[in-house]
Amino acid sequence: MKTNVFYTGIVGMVLALFTFTACNKEETANEPTVSQSEMVNASKDATEADNATDGAFSLIETAYSEIEENEGRNASLFPDCTTITITSENGVTFVTLDFGLGCELPNGNIVSGKIHLTYGPKQNGTRTITYQFENFVFNDKGIAGGGTIFRERNNANGNPQATIHLNLHVLFPSGALADVSGTKVREWIEGMGSGTWMDNVFLVTGNRTINFSTGFESYAIVTEALRREATCRYFVSGVLDITRNGHNGTLDFGDGTCDNLAILTIDGVEYEIILH
């Protein structure tokens, strides 16, 4: 009897230990590893950098369209807190968008600083625009640097399109710095000539690399076009295929609903990312 009690006790302890171990594994299976946790955080920062830079390019595209294509001139996106200066010399046009110390746009974005644009005459319906940011801040993120934009009035689909070459630096409120390089293509698919900017819709494709001051590197390519609607601060749909420090995943912006959520999938596990 003593042997049976002892045996039963040992079996119970083993079963309890096994059950605890199994539960512990189950509880931690969905917890990100250290590298996955880093990837989730870096994905959030990279997505916010993407969102800020794309918002800045929306301003550039809007200004160019208002000035050169008479789109929306009766209902400018830019409020009185924006000063737009246009000069020309020897066939070259110089444009400065000055948002002062802070300017709230009709879509709720708050910007400050300046954006400089320079471009020459059209050639076969296209232009190359040089852009440069000066002390520019978009919704609490500083954007510095510049590059070129190849602007087509009519692409193969008959829509305006901008191919943007990126060489930017994004400064976060935390002091973290992200260097952004790559190519972004923004096709304007809805809202042309409607007399308002609030119904504009863009599809964004391309690729980019972001190097963080923390040592994290992120490469992403658009596999399903990102949809940007003028009335929303965030991409409402689209998918990025991402590679970060040797880990692969996807970032899905949803089904078209305007919200600040995106779903990051790593090794079959989904993580919800909440954007500022």
Side-chain angles (χ1 to χ4, degrees):
M1 294 296 292
K2 289 182 179 179
T3 302
N4 288 340
V5 171
F6 178 76
Y7 176 77
T8 302
I10 291 295
V11 171
M13 290 174 63
V14 171
L15 288 175
L17 178 61
F18 176 80
T19 302
F20 174 79
T21 304
C23 290
N24 189 53
K25 286 184 177 179
E26 183 177 350
E27 289 173 358
T28 58
N30 291 328
E31 292 295 324
T33 64
V34 173
S35 59
Q36 286 176 330
S37 177
E38 290 174 350
M39 189 171 178
V40 170
N41 292 332
S43 295
K44 180 178 181 295
D45 289 343
T47 304
E48 291 190 356
D50 285 337
N51 196 59
T53 56
D54 194 72
F57 287 119
S58 290
L59 298 180
I60 292 175
E61 181 139 18
T62 299
Y64 176 82
S65 299
E66 288 191 9
I67 295 167
E68 297 293 339
E69 298 169 350
N70 293 321
E71 296 284 0
R73 291 300 293 271
N74 294 326
S76 176
L77 175 72
F78 301 101
D80 292 340
C81 53
T82 308
T83 300
I84 301 178
T85 304
I86 306 169
T87 60
S88 296
E89 184 177 342
N90 298 325
V92 178
T93 300
F94 303 90
V95 178
T96 296
L97 309 177
D98 188 346
F99 301 99
L101 298 178
C103 182
E104 183 173 356
L105 304 177
N107 56 12
N109 289 318
I110 298 177
V111 295
S112 62
K114 299 178 181 179
I115 305 175
H116 301 284
L117 308 177
T118 305
Y119 49 85
K122 282 185 180 180
Q123 296 182 348
N124 299 320
T126 67
R127 268 198 176 105
T128 297
I129 305 168
T130 299
Y131 67 91
Q132 187 75 32
F133 295 100
E134 179 185 347
N135 298 323
F136 183 76
V137 178
F138 187 95
N139 288 344
D140 81 7
K141 292 174 183 63
I143 301 176
T148 60
I149 300 171
F150 179 69
R151 168 74 181 190
E152 301 171 77
R153 175 58 173 166
N154 297 289
N155 66 2
N157 298 324
N159 297 325
Q161 179 171 294
T163 300
I164 305 162
H165 300 286
L166 306 171
N167 185 16
L168 303 176
H169 315 286
V170 179
L171 181 63
F172 290 79
S174 65
L177 182 66
D179 295 328
V180 184
S181 60
T183 302
K184 180 193 296 280
V185 180
R186 303 182 87 250
E187 181 182 9
W188 186 358
I189 64 168
E190 294 180 19
M192 295 81 72
S194 66
T196 175
W197 290 111
M198 302 312 290
D199 59 358
N200 287 351
V201 179
F202 296 87
L203 291 182
V204 182
T205 56
N207 62 84
R208 57 99 179 107
T209 298
I210 300 181
N211 289 295
F212 292 92
S213 55
T214 57
F216 217 87
E217 180 179 275
S218 168
Y219 171 78
I221 183 169
V222 178
T223 55
E224 182 182 317
L226 308 180
R227 185 179 175 95
R228 164 76 75 179
E229 298 179 354
T231 54
C232 186
R233 292 189 179 190
Y234 312 95
F235 293 117
V236 299
S237 63
V239 178
L240 286 171
D241 186 5
I242 56 177
T243 303
R244 297 195 171 111
N245 281 36
H247 294 274
N248 297 318
T250 60
L251 190 64
D252 190 334
F253 288 93
D255 59 2
T257 302
C258 179
D259 57 36
N260 64 336
L261 303 177
I263 301 298
L264 174 68
T265 303
I266 310 171
D267 299 329
V269 181
E270 294 185 349
Y271 305 95
E272 185 177 82
I273 293 178
I274 301 175
L275 305 172
H276 288 302

